[in-house]
Amino acid sequence: MNDNRSGSAGPAAGRPWGPSHAAPDMPLETPIAMPIQSLDTAPDPVAPPRTSPHGMLERRLLLVLGTLVIGTFGAGEITRSLSSDGISGTDVVLMLLFFALFGWIAFGFLNAFAGFLLLMSGRSVPTPAAAPSARPTGRTAILLPIHNEEVEPVFARLRAMTRSIAAAGGTDLFEIFVLSDSRPEREVAEHRAVRRLRAISPLPIWYRRRLVNEGRKPGNIADWVHRHGGGYDYMLILDADSLMSGAAVMRLAAAMDRHPRVGLLQTIPMVIGGDTLFARWQQFAARLYGPVFSAGLLWWSGAEASFWGHNAIIRVTAFAEACGLPKLPGPEPFGGHIMSHDMYEAALLRRRGWACHMVAMQDGTYEEYPPTFVEHAQRDRRWCQGNLQHLRVLDTAGLHWVSRLQLLMGASAYLTSPLWLMLLGVSAIVAAHSEGEIQIIAPSGWLLALTLVLLFGPKLMAVWWMLQEPQRRGGFGGGKALVKSVALDIPLSVLVAPMMMMTQTLAVIDILRGRKSGWEAQNRVSDGISLSDAARHNRWHLAVGGVMAVAAVLGVQSAIWMAPIFAGLLAAPLLVAWTSRASLGALTLRRRLFLIPEELRPTALIRDARPSAEDRGEPPAISEERRWRALGKLSHQPS
């Protein structure tokens, strides 16, 4: 039960699945080789995938050149303002920072603009999973790596998935593997949940816990590939908070059958299940603004799409051939096991000639969001270390240039925060030498207007698209409720931006100091965070904001125009504590704020995936009953 040894029989050997508690924990081993990849030697040349739409190069060049043009324009305006009294070394630093950061937000805007035009045209980007699905023929293992998770919600989601897959006709095509890296004391509860699910599941349920957690999640999956990958055509990777419908997984497996050179299909999961104000706000933002960004990614990613580590199907032979991850030389955080393995695994798949595609689905693929800013920051800290680690593998021999670009973008997403802070500091120095003239930062109305368009344009485009169609806006409670939610979202986003900038900057500094990220279980439920704990988590935010506020009170002009920045930093503890409360999440629900379609009209899959009283061994919580009663009332209100 608590080692890596396999049982004596299983579905792979043709044995009918039954509810017997005496069933072995794992099927017979079907090993497959998974060689460690050389990063210095490119594999033999292979034919490029033929599953990309036409015009990929032109689309990518348009995006890159557009970014350079907008970034150059912004930097040129800054240069014109600074050159009146000559250009100093500080001015040059300011111009370079402004060019890099202006180009970053320009890239995001152009990606969203491409997606907006695509959505408004009513067309879609052809992908391998776009065609009507026949019944798949390949065998698929559904892998759920877990690490010290609460078993009730995890196995409730698995139970819902098994029922949905059986209803879709996939009983004999899919098997579920729960791959545990939990501590030994968690094994009893996990194994009990496995036995309970086996008793009712129409699909085979397998379980094993590793004694040695070598390589974290990628090591967990690699261990399964080594031992059992030879018995399956595909593996569907889940996270502990993932949920997918039977129709979705059948469609993905059938698409892999039709396209033998596709190695990876990454879905775009919808965020659901939030109870706190923070989680409900974030899932609303993802649901509303996500489609334009996702459509933009689909427009230019083609067969070089990325992998997000979950809610994706992978061809087992391709993964084994291409994705044996080496340990990087040197100590953590930049050496050792590759943490953000998913993006790099997609790059390695493409290096071997396997196509990696992102696929859009209207429903059937879901995930959850951390309940508070604190949990979000802890998860983001791990991602930050992993993405910065990618800077060491950018020179991997044989990578496609788009794969290198995506790895660089992943690292840049975290480097922008310290760069923004540096820009503010350098701007303050320049402004002090220029007697505090504000035009150092906003030298022209054109630049200020363009900055606002780049920052807020994607949100406005997303809102406009949603409002155009009654069914779409109805999913958010109607046009009025949608606009009210956006009116609350925008000032909240502006207020928390300085806090997020400081949090990510501190994470980068931590990593540069050599402090590696731990591997703790993610807290997926919150009872609220006290103001004192929030202040402790944000002590550096308060310190930096306090210094800036004191400078402004003393009349330092370069600090006065930073009032929105230090206001957000000083408000950080209040925002963290306030948004962590489930009671405020329930209040916004009653006031029809931050509604999403999955709340108003939850599918049978989503309802079935919530832990039952039997799962918890207790009566249903009153708050849960009230939640569903409220949702039932809201779903019948006019749009």
Side-chain angles (χ1 to χ4, degrees):
M1 176 167 61
N2 61 349
D3 60 21
N4 288 327
R5 290 173 298 179
S6 298
S8 59
R15 183 177 63 82
W17 180 253
S20 170
H21 290 184
D25 285 333
M26 292 290 281
L28 284 171
E29 289 192 359
T30 50
I32 186 173
M34 189 173 177
I36 299 299
Q37 298 298 299
S38 169
L39 308 188
D40 300 322
T41 305
D44 294 335
V46 291
R50 297 181 179 180
T51 49
S52 277
H54 294 295
M56 277 293 113
L57 179 61
E58 292 80 2
R59 297 179 190 186
R60 293 161 177 172
L61 289 178
L62 185 62
L63 189 62
V64 172
L65 292 176
T67 298
L68 292 176
V69 168
I70 295 175
T72 302
F73 171 78
E77 288 293 294
I78 290 291
T79 304
R80 184 177 59 80
S81 174
L82 295 174
S83 61
S84 57
D85 58 348
I87 300 294
S88 66
T90 306
D91 295 337
V92 173
V93 173
L94 177 61
M95 290 185 293
L96 291 175
L97 287 171
F98 195 88
F99 173 78
L101 293 168
F102 208 66
W104 176 257
I105 61 174
F107 187 93
F109 172 84
L110 292 174
N111 176 84
F113 185 59
F116 173 71
L117 294 180
L118 189 67
L119 292 174
M120 291 298 292
S121 70
R123 295 180 296 172
S124 61
V125 175
T127 66
S133 295
R135 175 181 166 82
T137 58
R139 297 180 57 80
T140 301
I142 299 176
L143 308 186
L144 177 61
I146 58 174
H147 177 242
N148 299 327
E149 297 285 344
E150 293 295 328
V151 297
E152 290 86 1
V154 169
F155 281 87
R157 285 186 284 269
L158 280 183
R159 179 192 61 210
M161 285 187 62
T162 62
R163 293 173 178 172
S164 183
I165 291 170
T171 304
D172 58 338
L173 296 172
F174 297 86
E175 301 176 25
I176 293 177
F177 288 79
V178 180
L179 308 178
S180 174
D181 268 339
S182 301
R183 293 190 295 267
E185 59 268 24
R186 298 270 186 157
E187 184 178 11
V188 172
E190 290 176 356
H191 206 264
R192 184 185 303 119
V194 168
R195 291 198 305 269
R196 189 163 57 236
L197 181 57
R198 277 178 170 176
I200 61 173
S201 172
L203 272 65
I205 308 293
W206 305 107
Y207 170 80
R208 70 102 173 93
R209 188 183 69 80
R210 289 198 299 170
L211 290 175
V212 179
N213 305 146
E214 179 73 14
R216 303 187 184 187
K217 180 179 175 180
N220 198 354
I221 294 172
D223 176 83
W224 179 88
V225 172
H226 277 300
R227 295 172 179 272
H228 300 282
Y232 302 87
D233 298 285
Y234 318 121
M235 57 183 183
L236 184 76
I237 310 296
L238 302 178
D239 261 357
D241 59 358
S242 295
L243 178 67
M244 296 187 71
S245 70
V249 300
M250 291 278 282
R251 177 179 167 190
L252 290 173
M256 298 293 277
D257 286 342
R258 289 195 307 271
H259 300 280
R261 289 306 299 172
V262 169
L264 165 73
L265 293 177
Q266 172 66 63
T267 70
I268 305 171
M270 305 296 181
V271 183
I272 60 170
D275 290 315
T276 64
L277 175 57
F278 175 75
R280 292 201 66 250
W281 169 32
Q282 294 302 310
Q283 72 185 17
F284 166 80
R287 195 67 173 85
L288 176 61
Y289 308 132
V292 295
F293 288 102
S294 298
L297 281 174
L298 282 167
W299 180 75
W300 67 267
S301 60
E304 288 76 40
S306 192
F307 175 33
W308 297 344
H310 58 90
N311 294 57
I313 193 168
I314 303 174
R315 192 175 302 274
V316 175
T317 53
F319 190 84
E321 172 193 68
C323 296
L325 297 180
K327 288 182 68 174
L328 300 179
E332 293 188 67
F334 290 104
H337 293 288
I338 298 175
M339 287 189 63
S340 291
H341 59 98
D342 39 18
M343 295 176 64
Y344 192 54
E345 285 164 346
L348 293 178
L349 281 168
R350 180 60 187 84
R351 182 174 80 146
R352 288 276 182 176
W354 296 100
C356 302
H357 284 273
M358 183 177 293
V359 295
M361 294 182 174
Q362 294 301 314
D363 55 26
T365 175
Y366 307 100
E367 64 174 331
E368 295 182 359
Y369 206 82
T372 72
F373 273 112
V374 172
E375 276 76 29
H376 174 270
Q378 290 171 348
R379 185 182 73 171
D380 208 47
R381 169 65 172 79
R382 296 192 297 271
W383 289 357
C384 179
Q385 178 177 326
N387 285 20
L388 292 183
Q389 202 179 32
H390 288 163
L391 297 174
R392 289 199 58 186
V393 296
L394 280 177
D395 62 346
T396 299
L399 290 186
H400 193 279
W401 72 271
V402 173
S403 299
R404 297 186 203 275
L405 175 64
Q406 289 173 334
L407 293 173
L408 180 61
M409 287 170 57
S412 300
Y414 290 96
L415 293 176
T416 52
S417 287
L419 290 180
W420 277 116
L421 196 59
M422 289 173 59
L423 178 66
L424 292 173
V426 175
S427 300
I429 295 172
V430 173
H433 291 164
S434 306
E435 300 180 355
E437 295 180 0
I438 297 179
Q439 65 263 28
I440 295 297
I441 297 302
S444 71
W446 276 108
L447 185 57
L448 179 60
L450 180 59
T451 302
L452 294 175
V453 168
L454 295 179
L455 288 173
F456 296 104
K459 291 193 173 188
L460 297 179
M461 288 185 286
V463 172
W464 179 259
W465 180 70
M466 284 293 180
L467 289 174
Q468 295 307 299
E469 207 275 325
Q471 186 175 358
R472 286 200 297 265
R473 63 176 181 263
F476 294 88
K480 183 178 179 180
L482 176 59
V483 171
K484 284 168 56 181
S485 298
V486 172
L488 180 58
D489 162 71
I490 289 179
L492 273 176
S493 300
V494 171
L495 195 57
V496 304
M499 179 177 72
M500 300 300 292
M501 174 189 68
M502 180 59 65
T503 299
Q504 289 190 343
T505 299
L506 292 172
V508 172
I509 292 173
D510 243 13
I511 292 166
L512 294 178
R513 290 173 57 200
R515 296 183 61 182
K516 63 181 181 180
S517 174
W519 193 30
E520 297 298 328
Q522 182 175 313
N523 180 22
R524 303 185 191 277
V525 180
S526 173
D527 294 326
I529 297 174
S530 67
L531 187 58
S532 59
D533 285 341
R536 177 174 55 83
H537 282 291
N538 293 276
R539 55 191 180 277
W540 281 105
H541 304 64
L542 292 174
V544 174
V547 170
M548 295 170 67
V550 169
V553 170
L554 295 177
V556 178
Q557 293 296 311
S558 58
I560 292 174
W561 53 260
M562 290 188 185
I565 306 296
F566 65 72
L569 294 175
L570 293 176
L574 287 172
L575 289 168
V576 169
W578 180 51
T579 58
S580 69
R581 295 169 58 185
S583 60
L584 289 179
L587 177 62
T588 55
L589 177 65
R590 291 194 298 271
R591 297 293 177 86
R592 299 177 61 79
L593 293 170
F594 298 146
L595 295 173
I596 61 171
E598 289 76 17
E599 284 182 322
L600 286 173
R601 300 176 183 88
T603 64
L605 175 72
I606 294 174
R607 285 185 177 274
D608 195 22
R610 294 186 73 87
S612 65
E614 182 182 359
D615 293 327
R616 293 187 300 266
E618 59 185 24
I622 294 176
S623 60
E624 185 175 311
E625 292 178 349
R626 288 177 176 172
R627 174 185 175 84
W628 287 112
R629 194 181 304 124
L631 290 173
K633 291 178 180 179
L634 286 173
S635 65
H636 291 92
Q637 294 190 16
S639 302

